[in-house]
Amino acid sequence: NAGVTQTPKFQVLKTGQSMTLQCAQDMNHEYMSWYRQDPGMGLRLIHYSVGAGITDQGEVPNGYNVSRSTTEDFPLRLLSAAPSQTSVYFCASSGTGGASYGYTFGSGTRLTVV
Amino acid sequence: EDQVTQSPEALRLQEGESSSLNCSYTVSGLRGLFWYRQDPGKGPEFLFTLYSAGEEKEKERLKATLTKKESFLHITAPKPEDSATYLCAVQAGYSSASKIIFGSGTRLSIRP
């Protein structure tokens, strides 16, 4: 049972490049979210999904796209990377009932945009 | 706008010295309030969910309480291994599909 798997763990991008951060879970969780964590700012919600085919925006969605074609996968796409997107990105999932039973988090992707 | 504020930003305690962390929130209907622990370089780890004012949850040296405006995480006789960042989060609204937002956390350091 792997839980929530994020790839890659580290990435360096040049300004303007695009990339996809991968997130997969094997717990059959309906609810999945992407957060970014910056020093002193806690976790900020980017996008979330309550099931396959359903996504919604969080607090800081600009510059990011998501899709949810399967229950297991929830990739995060950076369309044109900017230095302001340098951050640690966490994917999280939760079972039926939303996050009332607590999220399971991945180990994070540390992204640097130069 | 829904908001979560945690205080203090950082707290240094001596081993065995009990204290409390605060999480104040402003939401349009609280569905749940959550506490997480985060160790450096790792993702947050779930601790508790509280649903209504007056509710309490305990786990080892940690006890979480909830009022209509804030939650406290009480740490009794802490040990160095309790050193971590503690995060508070809330789910607002009346649907399990509503989003969850986090506070900025409290960095707790326990000296031996």
Side-chain angles (χ1 to χ4, degrees), chain B residues 13-106:
Chain B
L13 300 173
Q14 199 70 33
E15 183 173 2
E17 180 185 2
S18 301
S19 188
S20 297
L21 313 181
N22 178 262
C23 171
S24 62
Y25 61 91
T26 305
V27 296
S28 51
L30 180 70
R31 180 171 175 82
L33 183 141
F34 315 94
W35 283 98
Y36 287 81
R37 169 191 171 126
Q38 186 176 24
D39 294 304
K42 295 188 176 181
E45 177 185 343
F46 173 71
L47 293 172
F48 306 109
T49 303
L50 301 167
Y51 295 101
S52 57
E55 189 174 1
E56 298 180 352
K57 293 275 180 72
E58 284 189 70
K59 180 179 182 179
E60 296 181 358
R61 294 175 291 282
L62 301 176
K63 179 180 178 180
T65 62
L66 182 64
T67 72
K68 288 187 177 180
K69 293 185 178 180
E70 58 192 347
S71 176
F72 293 94
L73 185 65
H74 307 278
I75 302 176
T76 302
K79 299 181 178 182
E81 54 262 42
D82 294 322
S83 297
T85 295
Y86 290 85
L87 299 165
C88 171
V90 297
Q91 186 175 29
Y94 302 97
S95 166
S96 62
S98 48
K99 60 189 176 185
I100 295 163
I101 60 173
F102 280 78
S104 55
T106 294

